[in-house]
Amino acid sequence: MDKYTCTKTQFEILKILLHHHEFISLNFKGSSMHPTILNYSTVNIVAPRGYEIGKIYAYHDDLESFPRLVCHRLIKIQGGLYYFKGDNRNKVDVPIKKDFILGEVKL
């Protein structure tokens, strides 16, 4: 899911599915959350009941050349923007608005 291509339409469908089910399971692809989440692991995503620094969330990132669904750790909330970073990355992701967050990752 680190590099999982996800269009806006697919993201909206995932949000609807999550609204109607307790959780959804997706395969994680990438090394950005190593060793917390390993490449090709399956993660469960639940609807968020608030946002807490230090927890891992799945969010839609359409700011790059291809839209994707990302699982990264929330490190800061400021001015209505949410800042995430992969455990295995030095760089903080581009901040996003809450509407782009799909749900909380449960391991």
Side-chain angles (χ1 to χ4, degrees), residues 2-49:
D2 175 41
K3 301 270 191 237
Y4 188 91
T5 302
C6 181
T7 66
K8 285 183 182 183
T9 301
Q10 290 168 327
F11 178 71
E12 291 304 322
I13 291 169
L14 288 171
K15 284 176 88 171
I16 291 167
L17 285 171
L18 191 55
H19 178 74
H20 292 287
H21 299 280
E22 186 176 332
F23 67 91
I24 56 176
S25 295
L26 296 171
N27 291 324
F28 179 87
K29 180 181 174 191
S31 61
S32 67
M33 285 301 293
H34 186 79
T36 308
I37 304 173
L38 300 177
N39 194 21
Y40 298 108
S41 294
T42 300
V43 296
N44 293 324
I45 301 169
V46 299
R49 297 182 187 180

